[in-house]
Amino acid sequence: RRFIYNMEKRAVSKASKIVVVSNPMKEILINEWNVPEKKIEVIPNGYFEEKFKKFNFDIEEVEGMISFLGTLHPKLDLDKIIKLAKSIESSKIYVIGDGSVRNELERKVRENNLENVIITGRLPDKEAFSLVAKSQVVIYPLKMSLHTKVLTSVKIFDYAALGKAMVLDYVSESEVWKQFKERNAAIFSDPSNPDEFVKCVQTLLVDKELRERIAYNAKTLVKNYTWKRMGERLVKLYKEDNCTKV
C-alpha cells in the first residue's frame, strides 16, 4: 500500500495536469499532497449511452419489486438490504452482481430466513437490465467513508439511463450527487439512519406519481454524463495543455 501511495504521489507531482472525478478528490490532492489547484481538472465518470439504445424500455414494472445492480463490495451497507427485506416482506429484492461481500450477504439472508432476497450473481447486460427495468425502485445502500465521500458512481448513471426511481444514501460530496439531489432525480437517505432508508423505499413503492417524476428527472439529467461528453472534455484539456506547452 505504501509503495502504491508513493508511486501515485510521484506521478501526480510530475504531471502537468491531473484529472480527478470529483471536487472532494481535488480537495484531498490540494490539502494532503499540496498540489497546486490550477493543475487539477475535475471530469466526472460517465456511462456508455450506446449500450442502452437497443434496450426495450417498454417493460411493465412488477409491483413491489426492488433491485440493486453492481459489484458487491465492502462499502455497501448489507444490513440495510436485510432491514429492507424484513420491513417489506411482500416485496422481492433482486441483488444483481457479485463481489467480495457476496458470501456475507448470503449468510445474513440465511440467518434471517429471508425468502424475498434473490441474489442472482453476475448476469449479461440484457438480463440484468431487464430485471432492473421491471423494478419499481432501485437502491444503492452505502456506508459513510472516505471512499464513498469522493465517488461519482457509474451505477446511478445506469439506473437513470434505465429511467428508474432510486434511493441512495447521501454519502458523496461530489457534484454529480449534488446535481441528482438538487434536480430531484433521486431520493436521498441519511447513511446513519437505516429506518429512513427503508421509509424512502416504501414511499416510492406506494407513490406512483412521485416515482415517475423522479425517474423522468433522472433520465433527463443523466444525458449530461455520457462518456462521449466526458471524453470531449478530456480531449479539450489535452489540446489546451499542449498549446500552453508550445
Side-chain angles (χ1 to χ4, degrees), residues 17 29 40 50 81 99 139 162 216:
K17 284 287 184 182
L29 290 183
I40 308 171
E50 296 74 19
I81 296 176
I139 59 173
L162 289 165
Y216 175 81

Side-chain angles (χ1 to χ4, degrees), residues 55-136:
F55 185 76
N56 177 19
F57 288 95
D58 297 324
I59 295 178
E60 187 175 349
E61 291 183 343
V62 176
E63 186 175 352
M65 185 168 167
I66 302 163
S67 65
F68 165 86
L69 171 64
T71 304
L72 304 181
H73 44 60
K75 64 177 180 274
L76 280 177
D77 193 332
L78 302 182
D79 289 333
K80 286 198 182 83
I81 296 176
I82 299 302
K83 188 174 186 64
L84 185 62
K86 287 181 175 180
S87 302
I88 317 177
E89 294 182 359
S90 59
S91 292
K92 284 193 174 181
I93 303 172
Y94 284 80
V95 179
I96 309 159
D98 207 342
S100 60
V101 300
R102 176 175 176 174
N103 289 340
E104 182 183 353
L105 178 59
E106 289 177 334
R107 176 179 58 78
K108 288 176 180 288
V109 169
R110 287 195 305 271
E111 289 176 350
N112 288 277
N113 297 314
L114 295 171
E115 297 182 357
N116 59 337
V117 178
I118 300 95
I119 303 169
T120 68
R122 287 193 179 92
L123 295 175
D125 281 353
K126 186 176 181 181
E127 291 181 46
F129 292 162
S130 293
L131 285 174
V132 173
K134 290 177 184 177
S135 303
Q136 289 187 314

